[in-house]
Amino acid sequence: MNEKVTSIPELFGSMVFTQEQMRQRLPAHIYDAWQQCLVQGTSLDRSIADEIAAAMKEWAIEKGATHYTHWFQPMTGFTAEKHDSFIAPQGPTGVLMELSGKELSRGEADASSFPSGGLRATFEARGYTAWDPTSYAFVKDKTLYIPTIFCSYGGETLDKKTPLLRSMKLLDTQSIRILRLGQVQRDMVLREQLHVLQHELGEDGDDELYEYEEKINRCRAGDEVWEKLMKELHRLSKQPFGSAEGAVIRNYLDVCLDVPWGVETHDRADVEQARKILDKDHYGLDKVKERILEFIAVRQLNPQAKGKILCLVGPPGVGKTSIALSVAKAMHRKLSRLSLGGVRDEADIRGHRKTYIGAMPGRIIDAVIRSGSMNPLLVLDEIDKLASDMRGDPASALLEVLDSEQNHAFRDHFLEVPVDLSRVMFITTANTLDTIPRPLLDRMEVIELTSYTDEEKLQIAKRHLLPKQLKEHGLKKTQLRITDDAIRRVIAAYTKESGVRVLERQLGKLCRKAAMQLVEGDVKRVDITENNLKELLGTQQYSESIHSDRDQVGVVNGLAWTQVGGEILEVEAQALDGSGKLELTGNLGSVMQESAKAALTCLRSRWEELGLPRDFYKTKDVHVHFPEGAVPKDGPSAGIAITTAMLSALTGRPVRGSVAMTGEVTLRGRVLPIGGLKEKTMAALRNGVHTVLIPRENVKDLDEIDQTVRAGLHFIPVDTVDQVFAAALVLSRGEHAAPRGRVSAESPAALSV
């Protein structure tokens, strides 16, 4: 020591790497892991050992140490030491001071480690040293002494401390068992003693009970679980061999012991690494990636944070499930996936009582068992497809599972013991939020995935889909070349979707055609361009625009949102001489039928302003039809489209073919906001529409729309049906831009955004 210490209390323990030193120098979660190793006797993870070794090395160097030694006690009666320097060569002229967790937790014992009175060959050491975390390291003579035990390769006892530690562990285990034992457990102890006596006498005993007990004692579950399992084991011991009750208990014990109690994977909370993985696996989806990276950043700062519940909502094929798979890979978590589509029985979530024939735990516990970890990433696909019947409501059963404040003690009906799900990260997927119960939706953080633009589909095809299909079909990049124009043509003429699943199938078809040409012909490379695309895929399936560009009477381009994305919804209206009947066709739901009735009443209340006969509702029959009659349609957002089609049919004024619209209409002619604007506007752009009428209250939603879509469309916000008529109807010669009377003459151009 350089300083002179006169105080004995200051001198005592000053060169010992005590528990207090470890608490000061180690991160909280590393110190807790060491404590857990100390108390529960678990193994020390390599990453934890690295952190402890670094802190121990820094402390030793501060105390003047230049070397370290594994210090142990062979059966010779003398202590043994194996010295190594902290200094390691670094380049031609530099050195590096290092001590890793590998050297801390395990070291090879050489000949000098055995003070036997003479030298011994290294191979005679027959083992290695391992750090004893129950003993503190200390500095002596500028050397860090690491207390270790000597572990032999052949199983021989070569270290005095080894049998001591073994006996202490055995006594500790048995003492804890005795302290926790009740009447049932004392019976088990007596039965174990009886088994030993039977074994000594050469009598046959039933080893099954003792195997179960050994597994129960090894499992790292809580006291409540341990007591429950021991109670069931006691019941099993009283059952005759081959009884039905015994089979039920055995099945219960097997399932419970399959649960990975206390087993968790270490999260890889590295934002940059996660960003690289997400960018590699997915193109675009910037907002989704940013939210996931934020979650990982929080985990990096707070490893003990509870698992989050994310809900990815979007049309099919946009990458909801694949995003979840990438998150699991980025965070280095085990992954389990379960589909909830068509689940009607509450027992599918909570499990059946074990007394039922063929009873098994619910899907949640089964997924945890399959993952082999208590902190996996569980993907709940198609949560919007849950149903309910007389067997219960599965959505209600999920309320506890997806509530981070309750799921720390989730009880499956089969297990009957609490299971901690708070460390599980849940990611759910859905096509729509409309069918998800509000209490369940309130427990999830919704992240929307919108439809891809044509340019995004092109990039996804080039970066992900085409390389995947080439690999699946055994093709090399040099054997098949598809031009960008050809891919764009495939997107426009052979697919009609929000995602890229159909696009991938079409690319797979091109790969198969190319494989045939390479095998049958003499060509070494197949070039696919826009010119020869028709020969390979046949006649195009979709036109670039499904609506008519012509101005037509009684025909309006509405915009609809479906579970597969946005679509153009054509509305047809025809006015005929009659007695005032309203006919609605096209497989309409109740809400859309009510919208049509509200539209007719709106026109009747404004007959004078709109230039309609006063008694038109008595002399004219109005027939409103929605093409594709086999497809169910419902929702209020077609209100202004129906109103405009009716007015056009009654007045004979054409509707502009380049205009599409969406919005709910009231009896007084107000235009109310709607949902799904992202998908609807993308459908308009995809179908060649140039102008879109939207409710003024939806203007704020334009910020969420893709820039490509915003640049390709002309948006006109409207407050009333009068503004809709002024923008959508073709004016006759000599007619003013707005209807007569009280209507504002504000032009559509002035309303554009």
Side-chain angles (χ1 to χ4, degrees):
M1 297 179 59
N2 297 327
E3 299 182 2
K4 184 178 181 181
V5 181
T6 57
S7 175
I8 298 299
E10 293 181 19
L11 178 64
F12 183 78
S14 61
M15 305 297 279
V16 181
F17 193 61
T18 61
Q19 182 173 343
E20 183 62 30
Q21 291 287 344
M22 297 180 72
R23 183 183 292 108
Q24 294 177 2
R25 295 174 178 266
L26 294 175
H29 69 282
I30 299 296
Y31 180 81
D32 293 340
W34 172 74
Q35 284 283 349
Q36 185 178 3
C37 172
L38 214 62
V39 175
Q40 300 183 5
T42 57
S43 59
L44 200 64
D45 188 79
R46 173 64 183 279
S47 60
I48 305 297
D50 286 336
E51 294 281 352
I52 297 175
M56 188 181 295
K57 179 203 68 176
E58 293 177 359
W59 173 83
I61 293 175
E62 292 175 4
K63 298 297 183 181
T66 59
H67 291 70
Y68 66 93
T69 177
H70 291 88
W71 186 62
F72 56 101
Q73 298 178 335
M75 300 297 288
T76 57
F78 302 93
T79 58
E81 304 169 13
K82 179 182 183 298
H83 292 256
D84 287 290
S85 175
F86 287 127
I87 300 177
Q90 183 73 10
T93 59
V95 295
L96 179 68
M97 305 287 282
E98 67 175 2
L99 172 66
S100 68
K102 178 181 179 182
E103 288 80 19
L104 175 64
S105 56
R106 176 170 173 170
E108 297 291 339
D110 60 12
S112 64
S113 301
F114 293 86
S116 58
L119 294 178
R120 296 178 63 182
T122 302
F123 72 90
E124 295 185 25
R126 304 188 305 279
Y128 57 89
T129 59
W131 176 48
D132 176 17
T134 63
S135 302
Y136 298 133
F138 60 93
V139 173
K140 177 185 176 185
D141 299 330
K142 296 185 178 181
T143 299
L144 172 64
Y145 282 75
I146 304 173
T148 60
I149 61 173
F150 188 80
C151 303
S152 64
Y153 294 128
E156 307 93 12
T157 302
L158 304 178
D159 178 20
K160 286 186 174 182
K161 200 170 185 178
T162 301
L164 177 62
L165 291 176
R166 290 176 178 174
S167 61
M168 288 177 62
K169 182 179 180 181
L170 182 60
L171 288 173
D172 184 62
T173 302
Q174 297 300 324
S175 299
I176 293 175
R177 288 179 57 199
I178 295 297
L179 291 174
R180 297 167 63 182
L181 290 180
Q183 182 61 44
V184 174
Q185 288 73 32
R186 280 194 288 271
D187 292 344
M188 293 302 301
V189 171
L190 295 175
R191 194 171 292 106
E192 183 176 356
Q193 294 175 351
L194 178 61
H195 172 73
V196 174
L197 293 174
Q198 289 175 341
H199 181 73
E200 293 293 333
L201 295 173
E203 300 177 357
D204 294 333
D206 187 7
D207 293 335
E208 181 186 36
L209 299 176
Y210 306 98
E211 292 177 0
Y212 274 125
E213 184 180 9
E214 187 177 351
K215 292 179 180 179
I216 294 171
N217 288 326
R218 284 203 308 264
C219 92
R220 291 184 284 175
D223 292 346
E224 184 176 352
V225 178
W226 186 86
E227 292 176 359
K228 174 66 175 177
L229 296 181
M230 293 299 292
K231 183 178 180 180
E232 293 295 326
L233 183 60
H234 176 66
R235 290 180 58 207
L236 178 62
S237 67
K238 296 182 178 180
Q239 301 298 322
F241 183 81
S243 65
E245 180 68 16
V248 171
I249 298 175
R250 289 185 183 89
N251 180 52
Y252 175 79
L253 291 175
D254 290 337
V255 173
C256 289
L257 293 174
D258 285 339
V259 177
W261 305 103
V263 179
E264 293 188 2
T265 58
H266 294 282
D267 287 351
R268 180 167 57 191
D270 189 337
V271 174
E272 291 303 320
Q273 184 67 20
R275 189 188 303 273
K276 292 179 181 178
I277 293 175
L278 292 174
D279 290 339
K280 179 182 177 182
D281 294 346
H282 298 86
Y283 178 82
L285 305 177
D286 295 333
K287 291 186 177 180
V288 180
K289 294 177 182 177
E290 191 64 27
R291 177 60 186 91
I292 292 172
L293 292 175
E294 290 173 358
F295 170 76
I296 295 176
V298 172
R299 296 287 299 183
Q300 189 171 344
L301 297 176
N302 182 16
Q304 304 302 321
K306 296 181 179 179
K308 298 296 182 181
I309 296 93
L310 305 179
C311 182
L312 305 180
V313 182
V318 296
K320 300 185 295 294
T321 303
S322 60
I323 275 284
L325 301 180
S326 298
V327 172
K329 182 166 58 175
M331 298 187 65
H332 203 262
R333 285 200 177 195
K334 299 293 184 63
L335 176 72
S336 278
R337 177 184 172 190
L338 58 154
S339 179
L340 300 179
V343 174
R344 297 176 175 272
D345 193 350
E346 181 184 349
D348 283 345
I349 306 298
R350 288 190 175 275
H352 297 84
R353 301 290 182 183
K354 66 177 184 292
T355 53
Y356 295 162
I357 298 176
M360 292 298 291
R363 296 194 180 194
I364 301 298
I365 298 300
D366 180 68
V368 172
I369 293 175
R370 286 188 283 109
S371 70
S373 168
M374 295 301 291
N375 64 334
L377 191 151
L378 297 189
V379 182
L380 309 183
D381 265 333
E382 311 293 346
I383 196 172
D384 58 322
K385 305 299 190 301
L386 285 172
S388 61
D389 58 14
M390 60 182 181
R391 292 169 291 183
D393 186 6
S396 300
L398 282 175
L399 293 177
E400 182 183 0
V401 176
L402 300 181
D403 192 338
S404 57
E405 300 298 328
Q406 302 182 42
N407 60 9
H408 65 277
F410 172 73
R411 286 184 179 269
D412 186 273
H413 288 167
F414 181 86
L415 297 184
E416 299 179 340
V417 292
V419 180
D420 186 6
L421 300 180
S422 62
R423 304 287 293 172
V424 178
M425 182 178 181
F426 293 94
I427 293 183
T428 66
T429 68
N431 298 132
T432 177
L433 300 177
D434 297 339
T435 57
I436 303 177
R438 299 305 300 181
L440 182 60
L441 186 61
D442 184 63
R443 285 161 168 79
M444 301 182 289
E445 180 178 345
V446 177
I447 301 177
E448 294 186 6
L449 283 75
T450 59
S451 302
Y452 293 120
T453 62
D454 289 353
E455 187 60 30
E456 288 176 332
K457 290 181 180 180
L458 173 64
Q459 297 299 327
I460 293 172
K462 293 170 60 177
R463 301 184 185 190
H464 302 285
L465 304 183
L466 187 56
K468 177 183 177 182
Q469 291 299 318
L470 289 174
K471 183 179 180 180
E472 289 184 358
H473 291 84
L475 298 173
K476 300 179 181 178
K477 293 182 179 180
T478 57
Q479 294 177 311
L480 176 62
R481 188 180 72 89
I482 306 178
T483 63
D484 290 356
D485 291 338
I487 298 177
R488 289 191 178 94
R489 187 64 179 171
V490 172
I491 295 171
Y494 294 91
T495 66
K496 181 189 173 184
E497 58 176 344
S498 300
V500 292
R501 284 179 180 167
V502 179
L503 175 59
E504 184 176 6
R505 286 196 288 269
Q506 295 293 350
L507 293 176
K509 186 176 181 180
L510 292 176
C511 290
R512 291 193 297 272
K513 297 291 185 181
M516 285 291 294
Q517 295 184 20
L518 291 171
V519 173
E520 294 181 346
D522 297 330
V523 297
K524 295 183 178 180
R525 190 180 77 172
V526 177
D527 293 322
I528 299 177
T529 64
E530 193 174 3
N531 297 326
N532 64 353
L533 189 63
K534 186 176 180 180
E535 301 176 5
L536 300 173
L537 295 181
T539 306
Q540 69 178 44
Q541 301 177 14
Y542 306 100
S543 61
E544 296 185 1
S545 176
I546 65 170
H547 80 286
S548 175
D549 291 329
R550 296 184 297 107
D551 301 339
Q552 301 182 70
V553 176
V555 180
V556 178
N557 295 316
L559 294 174
W561 182 91
T562 68
Q563 294 186 5
V564 297
E567 290 185 359
I568 290 287
L569 182 66
E570 198 171 72
V571 183
E572 297 178 346
Q574 188 72 44
L576 305 169
D577 293 335
S579 57
K581 295 180 181 179
L582 176 62
E583 188 75 21
L584 303 174
T585 56
N587 199 356
L588 308 183
S590 59
V591 177
M592 189 168 285
Q593 294 180 30
E594 292 174 355
S595 295
K597 295 176 182 178
L600 183 60
T601 302
C602 177
L603 296 179
R604 287 180 59 184
S605 66
R606 309 169 72 86
W607 65 272
E608 185 176 7
E609 301 166 1
L610 300 174
L612 295 172
R614 184 170 185 174
D615 60 346
F616 77 92
Y617 62 94
K618 296 180 180 179
T619 60
K620 296 289 185 180
D621 290 342
V622 179
H623 186 172
V624 181
H625 176 68
F626 291 79
E628 299 185 23
V631 180
K633 310 171 187 69
D634 204 6
S637 62
I640 62 174
I642 298 173
T643 308
T644 304
M646 285 183 177
L647 181 62
S648 174
L650 291 169
T651 60
R653 294 168 58 183
V655 181
R656 302 181 190 277
S658 61
V659 174
M661 60 187 70
T662 179
E664 182 179 354
V665 69
T666 68
L667 296 178
R668 298 180 180 274
R670 289 179 56 224
V671 180
L672 302 182
I674 45 81
L677 187 63
K678 294 181 184 179
E679 307 296 335
K680 293 177 179 179
T681 55
M682 197 164 295
L685 180 66
R686 189 166 55 245
N687 288 278
V689 173
H690 306 296
T691 303
V692 178
L693 306 184
I694 64 173
R696 188 176 295 277
E697 294 185 35
N698 284 115
V699 171
K700 62 182 185 299
D701 299 327
L702 294 177
D703 295 335
E704 303 295 327
I705 296 176
D706 187 90
Q707 293 297 325
T708 304
V709 179
R710 294 193 63 180
L713 296 176
H714 176 62
F715 294 96
I716 300 178
V718 293
D719 295 305
T720 65
V721 292
D722 300 310
Q723 297 171 352
V724 176
F725 301 152
L729 297 178
V730 178
L731 302 180
S732 60
R733 184 175 297 178
E735 192 174 5
H736 297 286
R740 299 171 296 171
R742 306 186 301 270
V743 183
S744 172
E746 190 176 17
S747 66
L751 296 171
S752 63
V753 295

